[in-house]
Amino acid sequence: MKPDAFFVSSRKLLLALTLSWLLLWFGSVIQDLVILATGTEEKIWLLDVDSEVSVYTWLSTILLSGAALLSFVLASHGNDAPQWRAIGVIFLAMSMDEMLSLHERLSGVLSSSLTTSGPFFFAWVIPAAVFILMVAVVFLPFVFRLPRSVAIMIIAAGFVYILGALGLEMAAGLFLSGEENLASALESPRYRIMTNLEEGLEVLGVIIFIAALLIRCAQVFPSTFETD
C-alpha cells in the first residue's frame, strides 16, 4: 500500500464512535439523575437525548449519514449494488428524519385524523411497523447471502434499533396514554428512563450496523479498509 493511499482503520473508527456515543448518552442520563435528585427545573438542552437541538441528535444524524455513505461505497462494487444502494437511500432518509423530526410531524398528522392510544399513542409507529415488515421481507434474503459474521451483525443491529425506536416508543405511548397531565408525565422519571433507553438503543443499533458495514468493506476493499 502506498503511504499516501486512502486508508480506514475500522477498529479506531468504531472506538471513536462508541466512546462519543457513550459520553453523550451518559451526559443525558447523569443530567436526568441530577434533576431528579435536586428538583431543579433547569436543563442543558444540548445534553438531552430527546431534544432536536442536542449534540446527541447531531451525532445520531452523522452516524446515520455515515451508514448511508458506507452502503453507497459497497454499492460501487459487485452484483449486490442495487440492494446496497437502496439501503443507502433508506439510511439517508433516516438521517434527514433525525435532523428534521419528520416522523413526529407525521405522527401529528395521523393523530389528527385517527384516534390512537395505548402502544399506538404515537401514531407514527403504525406506518413504521408496516415499513419495517416490508423492509424485512425484501432485504432478509439479501442479508442471508452475505458472509455469516456480517449477516449476524446486521440482524443484531436491526433488532437493537427496532427495540429502541419502535418497542420503547410503544411502551412510552402506553405509559403516556394513561396519564391525565401529559406535561408532567413527559418529565417523570419513568418516561425519562424509557426515553434514554430508546435513544441509546437506536444509536447503538446504528453503530453495530456500521461495524457490519466496515467488516464487509474490509472484505470487498482490503486495500482501503482494515478490521484489526
Side-chain angles (χ1 to χ4, degrees):
M1 184 183 66
K2 297 180 180 180
D4 59 345
F6 178 72
F7 194 68
V8 176
S9 172
S10 300
R11 177 172 293 183
K12 292 180 180 178
L13 177 58
L14 284 173
L15 179 60
L17 295 177
T18 303
L19 290 177
S20 298
W21 163 63
L22 286 173
L23 178 64
L24 294 176
W25 186 75
F26 275 120
S28 179
V29 172
I30 292 172
Q31 175 169 245
D32 283 345
L33 291 175
V34 170
I35 291 174
L36 178 62
T38 62
T40 181
E41 296 182 357
E42 297 294 328
K43 177 179 286 190
I44 303 174
W45 291 104
L46 284 175
L47 296 179
D48 188 354
V49 297
D50 200 30
S51 171
E52 296 178 20
V53 297
S54 70
V55 181
Y56 192 88
T57 300
W58 173 69
L59 175 65
S60 179
T61 302
I62 290 175
L63 290 174
L64 289 166
S65 299
L69 176 61
L70 289 172
S71 298
F72 288 134
V73 169
L74 287 168
S76 67
H77 178 83
N79 297 325
D80 294 326
Q83 291 90 338
W84 284 121
R85 192 175 297 114
I87 292 172
V89 170
I90 290 173
F91 272 85
L92 191 60
M94 289 169 64
S95 70
M96 292 175 62
D97 172 66
E98 187 70 14
M99 181 177 65
L100 302 174
S101 298
L102 298 177
H103 70 279
E104 293 181 358
R105 300 174 192 272
L106 173 62
S107 190
V109 172
L110 290 175
S111 296
S112 64
S113 57
L114 300 173
T115 302
T116 57
S117 61
F120 305 111
F121 179 83
F122 298 106
W124 73 268
V125 303
I126 300 173
V130 174
F131 178 74
I132 289 170
L133 181 59
M134 292 172 56
V135 168
V137 170
V138 172
F139 286 100
L140 274 180
F142 159 67
V143 171
F144 286 134
R145 292 201 305 269
L146 296 172
R148 184 179 179 84
S149 60
V150 176
I152 290 175
M153 290 186 70
I154 289 177
I155 292 172
F159 175 79
V160 171
Y161 186 89
I162 293 170
L163 178 62
L166 202 62
L168 281 166
E169 187 83 338
M170 294 175 72
L174 186 63
F175 165 66
L176 292 176
S177 65
E179 296 294 312
E180 295 182 0
N181 189 333
L182 186 59
S184 177
L186 289 172
E187 297 299 326
S188 67
R190 183 176 175 182
Y191 179 76
R192 292 303 305 175
I193 289 173
M194 286 189 288
T195 297
N196 281 300
L197 286 175
E198 175 189 339
E199 297 295 337
L201 287 173
E202 284 184 22
V203 175
L204 177 59
V206 177
I207 290 176
I208 295 173
F209 183 66
I210 288 175
L213 293 178
L214 288 171
I215 291 174
R216 185 57 181 158
C217 282
Q219 295 169 346
V220 177
F221 309 105
S223 63
T224 303
F225 294 84
E226 72 164 1
T227 56
D228 296 331

